[in-house]
Amino acid sequence: MKINIAIDGPSAAGKSTIANILAEKLNYTHLDTGAMYRSVAYKAKMLGIDTADEENIVKMISGMDLDMKPDGTVILDGEDVSLKIRENDISMGASNVSKLNGCRVALVAMQQKICEGGGYILDGRDIGTVVLKDAPVKIYMVASAEARAKRRVLQNIEKGIEADYDAILEDIVKRDYQDTHREHSPLRKADDAVEIDTSDMSIEEVVDTIMKIVIEKMEK
């Protein structure tokens, strides 16, 4: 029987990278919830809708055609926006729309419906506390802001996206504050989550650590 795995943590902690590798190893599906909020922010930008305008954001979501492919490709209204939603301004926009309760309710309902049968790995900021409160495995990944900024720079360079370390670090610090202080579903560690500080860990070390937790849980 397949279980659901929840991975939470701040921006650029490596959640999506780790979730992708775990999904491949376990033959699970990684549902990138952050990409869902980024897609909302991207469409709002394209339509000229203020990311603080909850009423129009919620109306926009109701007519949004969002297809999350198992390989990580994000198709929004028939367009591949996988790279476009990773730009810095979209990151801040995603943080803004994630503060809107109406937006969260709509997207959380989508996520819970998708995960009903098990076999999913979700990463975000409120997976273990809101979206998958009953997930057998909950991980809370953290890392210093500096370590996360360096990783984001490398990721952006690899994808051909602008990579200014100081600007990225500033955005990460701002987003940390927003995510932990927002009114609805703020970023926090679930009481039953295992915290892993990845600042000085390699990707392989993080994956091995989580795999041991998953295997132990599945053997019980």
Side-chain angles (χ1 to χ4, degrees), residues 120-183:
Y120 284 86
I121 302 176
L122 273 64
D123 69 279
R125 287 158 184 76
D126 64 346
I127 308 303
T129 56
V130 176
V131 183
L132 297 178
K133 291 189 286 188
D134 297 327
V137 174
K138 297 179 184 179
I139 305 297
Y140 191 73
M141 287 176 54
V142 298
S144 69
E146 291 75 15
R148 287 182 281 140
K150 289 176 182 176
R151 291 173 186 168
R152 181 56 56 81
V153 167
L154 292 175
Q155 288 174 351
N156 284 5
I157 290 174
E158 290 174 358
K159 295 176 180 178
I161 300 173
E162 181 182 352
D164 181 315
Y165 173 81
D166 291 332
I168 290 173
L169 177 60
E170 182 179 356
D171 280 347
I172 284 175
V173 172
K174 284 182 180 177
R175 181 148 194 196
D176 283 353
Y177 184 84
Q178 284 195 13
D179 289 344
T180 55
H181 288 78
R182 68 191 184 201
E183 180 181 359

Side-chain angles (χ1 to χ4, degrees), residues 3-207:
I3 63 173
N4 287 324
I5 299 170
I7 301 178
D8 288 304
S11 178
K15 301 184 300 294
S16 294
T17 298
I18 298 302
N20 279 327
I21 296 172
L22 288 171
E24 185 173 346
K25 284 181 173 290
L26 294 165
N27 194 29
Y28 277 28
T29 298
H30 170 218
L31 181 63
D32 185 352
T33 62
M36 297 175 77
Y37 287 97
R38 287 172 177 273
S39 296
V40 171
Y42 175 78
K43 183 165 185 176
K45 178 184 177 181
M46 293 299 100
L47 295 177
I49 299 174
D50 191 323
T51 52
D53 184 348
E54 183 167 8
E55 182 179 356
N56 282 313
I57 289 291
V58 172
K59 284 181 181 177
M60 183 193 77
I61 292 173
S62 67
M64 195 167 75
D65 182 12
L66 185 61
D67 187 6
M68 310 289 291
K69 302 292 186 183
D71 67 356
T73 301
V74 180
I75 306 297
L76 175 61
D77 298 330
E79 177 190 3
D80 184 344
V81 296
S82 307
L83 292 181
K84 294 178 180 178
I85 63 172
R86 300 295 172 184
E87 295 176 358
N88 284 342
D89 62 331
I90 302 302
S91 179
M92 288 305 298
S95 183
N96 291 338
V97 298
S98 71
K99 293 187 291 185
L100 306 177
N101 191 50
C103 175
R104 301 200 67 82
V105 169
L107 294 189
V108 166
M110 285 185 201
Q111 295 156 13
Q112 291 174 331
K113 181 71 175 177
I114 292 170
C115 297
E116 284 179 348
Y120 284 86
I121 302 176
L122 273 64
D123 69 279
R125 287 158 184 76
D126 64 346
I127 308 303
T129 56
V130 176
V131 183
L132 297 178
K133 291 189 286 188
D134 297 327
V137 174
K138 297 179 184 179
I139 305 297
Y140 191 73
M141 287 176 54
V142 298
S144 69
E146 291 75 15
R148 287 182 281 140
K150 289 176 182 176
R151 291 173 186 168
R152 181 56 56 81
V153 167
L154 292 175
Q155 288 174 351
N156 284 5
I157 290 174
E158 290 174 358
K159 295 176 180 178
I161 300 173
E162 181 182 352
D164 181 315
Y165 173 81
D166 291 332
I168 290 173
L169 177 60
E170 182 179 356
D171 280 347
I172 284 175
V173 172
K174 284 182 180 177
R175 181 148 194 196
D176 283 353
Y177 184 84
Q178 284 195 13
D179 289 344
T180 55
H181 288 78
R182 68 191 184 201
E183 180 181 359
H184 305 291
S185 302
L187 168 65
R188 68 178 179 83
K189 176 186 172 185
D191 294 337
D192 54 347
V194 178
E195 182 170 327
I196 301 174
D197 188 334
T198 69
S199 298
D200 299 313
M201 296 175 70
S202 67
I203 291 174
E204 292 76 15
E205 288 172 334
V206 177
V207 170

